[in-house]
Amino acid sequence: MTDVICPLCGKPNPPDREECLYCQAPLKASGFVAPSEPGDEENQLLPPSGETGEAEEQTSQPAEASSLEQAIPDWLKATEANFLGQSESEQEKPGTDLVSEQIDSLLNQPSTPDSTNEPAIDDDWLASLLEETGIGESSATTSQEESSEGQEDTFEADKTEPFSEELAQEEPPASADQAEKPEWLTNLEATSPIKLDRVLPASEPDGQSTGVVDTGEETGSGEMEIPEWIAKSGSEVSPPSDKEAESQIAPAELPSWLEALRPDEGVSPTGPLEDLSAADIVTAGPLVGLRGVISAHPSAIRAHKPPTYSIKLRVTEEQRARVEMMEALLADEQKPKPLPAQPVISSRNIFRLVIVVVLILPIAWMIITGSQRTPAPQPGNIPGVVDFTQQVQTLPIGAPVLLAFDYEAGFSGEMNLAISTVINQLIIKNAYMAIVTTTPAGPALAESIMRRADTGLEGKPETYYTDLGYIPGGTIGLLGLANSPKTVLPYSLDGNNVWAVAPLNAISSIKDFSAVIVMTNDPDIARSWIEQVSPQLQVDGTPLLIVTSSQAEPLIRPYYEATPSQVQGLVAGFVGGLAFSRTVGNIQQNGTWDAFSIGITVSVLIILIGSIIAVVLKMLALGKLKEN
Amino acid sequence: MKKILPIANAIIAVISGLFVLLGYFFPKVFGGIQSVLIGWAIILAAFALLLGIFNLAMVHWKKIGAEGPSNINSIVLLISLIITMIVVSFSGPTGSWSLWIFNTFQLPVEISLIAVLAVILVYAGARLLSRRPKWYTGLFLVTVLIVLIGSVPLFFIGEIAPLNALRGWLAQVPAVAGARGLLLGVALGTVATGLRILMGVDRPYGG
Amino acid sequence: MGQVLSLIKDYFGFLFVLICLGLILFYIYSDRNRPKINLRDIQAFKHFRREVDLTVEAGKRLHVSLGRGNINDLQGGAAFIGLSILDCCARAASNSDRPPVTTSGDGVLTILSQDTLQSAYHTLATEQRYDPTNARLTGLTPMAYAAGTMPTIHDEHVSANIFAGHLGSEIALMTEASERSRSLSVAGTDSIPAQAVLYATSDEPLLGEELYAAGAYLGAGPAHLASLRMQDILRWVLILIMVIGAILKLLGILP
Amino acid sequence: MLERIGQLADPIGAIIGFVLTVMVLSYIIGDNVLFRLAIPIFIGAASGYAAVLILYNVLWYQVLVPVFQVITTGKMDNMLIYATHVVPAVILGIWMMTKMSPRLARWGTPVLAFLTGVGAATVIAGAVRGTIFPQVGASVNLLNIRTAPSELNELVGWFINGLVVLVGTATTLIYFHFGIKRQEEGVPVTRSVVLGYLSTAGQGFIVVTLGVLFAGVYIAALSALIDRVSFLWDTIIRFF
């Protein structure tokens, strides 16, 4: 700063003023040029007059700019130019530009006081703010406005950096300000508590006065709290800071003119006590010849009520708006961001769609045309089917058979062919079917199939089957059923006591049935039947026959293949059902078998192609990795 | 009371469990009490089902109050649940109207869901190697392909006898070995889990 | 003869259970200060722990699917493990904005899951967070259960699904829903066909008895670690019995 | 009137089934409103049916029918069994209903504790008697010389297959071995070399098993898909 200090009241005045703004004392006469105003020294980052938005200081911008340009070292000019360039071109990575380099170099200094790195962070903050807001021209214009007014403080702060650095490290002066600075003032600064303040890390005044910079710092550190001073930016600066400043230095050492400039005591003007050796001799008036006294200039004689010195923290509307914007941005950070909606057209969806088309179209075509191209499965090639058929064929006429409908409705598409064939065979054999189930859907499935099967048959359904219903308790229930069926299921679903009439009145335990046929898609249910019921059946050689889904076959087949066999017959899945139906002379005339065949063929191709693509992509990726 | 209740619960669980367990291994001595306790458990499971249905209804009743399309689904579910329960109660589980509801609403949807499963599985199979590019994934896929090709005569190609035989061997020998090992492992885990409950260490009933 | 065999089987069975119990008690006592073994890495549990933390961080929800196992049946074991995992989840996610949601396909299991949640919150003194509708029955048949669980996965801000219980091949519908809603799925079941499906469809399948080790891996207590050591001892015992028995049978020494 | 409705019920049912099938299959392409609408209908119907069936078989036949029997005939078959097997269960069941209210829920816990205890014992016994003993017995019997085939070729095949199953079962069990000897701090925990090889072999067996089962599940699902396509085509032919 090149403001002129009033020799009378010690207040800073713009260089173009003839007399003091506050006490009307002549300024030019004394030619007293302060290197920087104490307020600036007290906290280098306090937004100087340029940022306060006060009208008279707005007008002084050009002059300031010119004097500033002299004061700015080259690297800082580059920084400023860079920053403006950056904000105009909305560079995404401020960390890579010259500003950041400078900031890094500053931050890396071992004894860098806060005041020196804050502006750097401020730059980051601004840059990130511009990025975050993503304003194109608007951001550019904003940065231009900043360079012309509100933002000036940032650059000012930047400009103070080398200065403070030099002071801290007692390097030879490099700026114009330094050149202009008289020796006494250098000494004064050396003993000044305010400079000490500046060197103190994160001292309270810094924290309080460098509002925008602080905000920037907070952005940099990712903290979510907006500093208190922003909230009560209209109120006075809290006294503790000043007390703290005082407590650090003995008041006696503080020059009184400097004392006078302290914000909270600025209202009582005191005579300057500075060394007046450099002051001019009065050339006019009664005090002619005296050095450093107030010349009897008419304007100086006029008594004035000392003006109150505003100590309000001065934040422009724009700065306030910017901080609010930052606050909003930080608030957004706290909210969990919802996952972006999945695009409707993604590679996965396309792949899935392709699979659907490739899989379903041929199947549909086979069914529509009723194709009979593929040779039907031979019962001999499918283990279990021949034994199953023989066991059913060898059942005595009218024998009681226990049927367990233990499959889920969803698997009826796969198992219905086999099951309806079994039911038809049992009806032909005039067997009496006692139906039980351990799955809730069982009774409905059984009833539906029985009703479909008995169409065209004469006689009441109850003459050849009864539905005993659901066995609660899973495995325990099965154990109970094996020991005493009539205790577990005392009544049929119609509410009849079927155990009292023929043929079930002859049944005391499960082995009294001629055969037990379990229909299930669940290997666990099949295992329960095999492990809980099969031992009892083996005593009298009652066969346990299983109709199952292809998903359970691999786990049930070992029981069928075992020696001695625990399962005497096995029909598994659609293939087994088709083979079984063909053995008993029921040949299907629709295209489901061809559809099944082409479905499997297409599925194999899809899995193969998918896997090959995966391997190729992996190899390509590995190749690229090796290249890199 | 707040301290006594959890301990009492644990004691109840341990004692009832011990009697049932002993009933399995010494049926002559503890068989009677075991069957009584299991009989209670079966009837209690039915009461628990009532609570479950109540819970299902409450969850969707709450959703009806909520905004958005889910409340429509909840209304539909509740209507469907209530109508089905009323119809099946009056018509009986094997009555004509019960069967109509079963064959119209339950059967098609359930089979369709498994049909959807087919597409999901083939899609997963095709993506598996890119998802988990490991040697055992490759072995898994090779096995799947062999079993699929060995199960059905391929369209245009017909039956591939060697693969058919290989499929049979895979299902008979290595698959049985693996399944047996898995079943035994699961059984050991199950025993450990049950014992922790009978020791009162795990208390899923709370307390 | 058959009766004698069944008698021997019964006594052996009881002896086997006693050995298991003794081993667990022994390891609880011997490892009371510091466990003497490490556990091999199971990626699913690593990801599970991380996912629980992330879920709490993101203010999202954990979904624990307990399956449809009837606890009075063989599948009850998996259901009990599911409840142990639920307890861990409820404790870990107790400070989450959205408490975990549980789905099950059996009445008893639903009530047990409610109790587990309530007692977990009770011990953490956050019982006011307990909402019975967070432990739901979603369907009483396997497919109804799967279909009823899918909307929960899609609509309730679920970021991680843990399927732990008795689930059949219908589990693929749920893992697919989980993938479509871009949430992680850690899945384990006692059904072997379902494990085969999981192997292809799930991010982190738990195979075989890995599900039953959940308590030990999630730090549910020393008894879980002790029971895992018991399993390790007994697996070797079973292997020895099988090998020696097979050799004796091959030599015709055993009938 | 009812007959008329009865006649219409079948075609209406077929059309509703057709529409529901299309709605559910639409999930193949992606989650959508049609699928979301079909699902609650299904859940309601399936759960409602299952609930009534179970209540019908348990509460109706085991609990209420004997009571009606007493009311109508003045006597009851197996009064003692009813008094010991049913009455206490009904009392416990009513007690369990406290779970309906979150406030009273804790008072119903003893009933759940009882159910859990019984369940735990059942799963232990089931695992030991139902799985461990039969599976170990089957493995031991694999190489029973008394069941060996007489011809040399078959004998060799029988022996090799039996050996493979035995080794596969053992290595699969070894694969799941959880414990690893505690190393010094910082030393990565790894299995011993032998255990590593054995568990790798076990992993191979597991993967083959899962592959076979996956193929089985897929074939079942494909059959369902074919059934649905067939159903859709039949319905189209029937009405159009």
Side-chain angles (χ1 to χ4, degrees), chain A residues 55 66 126 150 211 236 282 334 342 381 393 494:
Chain A
S66 56
L126 280 167
E236 289 188 351
V282 178
Q334 287 176 317
Q342 207 167 8
N381 298 345
Q393 299 291 353
D494 322 333

Side-chain angles (χ1 to χ4, degrees), chain D residues 26-112:
Chain D
S26 69
Y27 186 76
I28 291 171
I29 299 159
D31 188 24
N32 61 73
V33 183
L34 294 175
F35 177 77
R36 292 297 187 98
L37 198 63
I39 286 307
I41 299 171
F42 162 66
I43 296 168
S47 304
Y49 184 89
V52 173
L53 178 76
I54 293 164
L55 299 176
Y56 204 76
N57 268 272
V58 179
L59 292 189
W60 175 249
Y61 282 126
Q62 292 189 32
V63 177
L64 297 175
V65 166
V67 175
F68 291 133
Q69 197 181 27
V70 171
I71 293 166
T72 50
T73 62
K75 65 181 180 64
M76 182 197 288
D77 312 333
N78 309 322
M79 177 74 84
L80 184 63
I81 291 175
Y82 188 81
T84 53
H85 283 66
V86 180
V87 173
V90 172
I91 293 166
L92 289 175
I94 292 162
W95 183 1
M96 192 164 68
M97 289 298 153
T98 53
K99 290 282 171 189
M100 279 186 177
S101 143
R103 198 163 48 80
L104 301 172
R106 298 190 70 78
W107 294 103
T109 306
V111 184
L112 266 292

Side-chain angles (χ1 to χ4, degrees), chain A residues 607, chain B residues 139-149, chain D residues 210-212 214-215:
Chain A
I607 294 173
Chain B
L139 182 59
F140 176 86
L141 287 171
V142 168
T143 314
V144 170
L145 292 176
I146 290 170
V147 174
L148 286 179
I149 297 168
Chain D
L210 297 182
V212 170
F214 181 86

Side-chain angles (χ1 to χ4, degrees), chain D residues 145-169:
Chain D
I145 198 72
R146 290 183 173 81
T147 60
S150 52
E151 287 185 19
L152 183 65
N153 302 351
E154 289 181 359
L155 187 70
V156 172
W158 166 84
F159 180 75
I160 290 171
N161 286 346
L163 204 62
V164 171
V165 173
L166 199 61
V167 170
T169 309

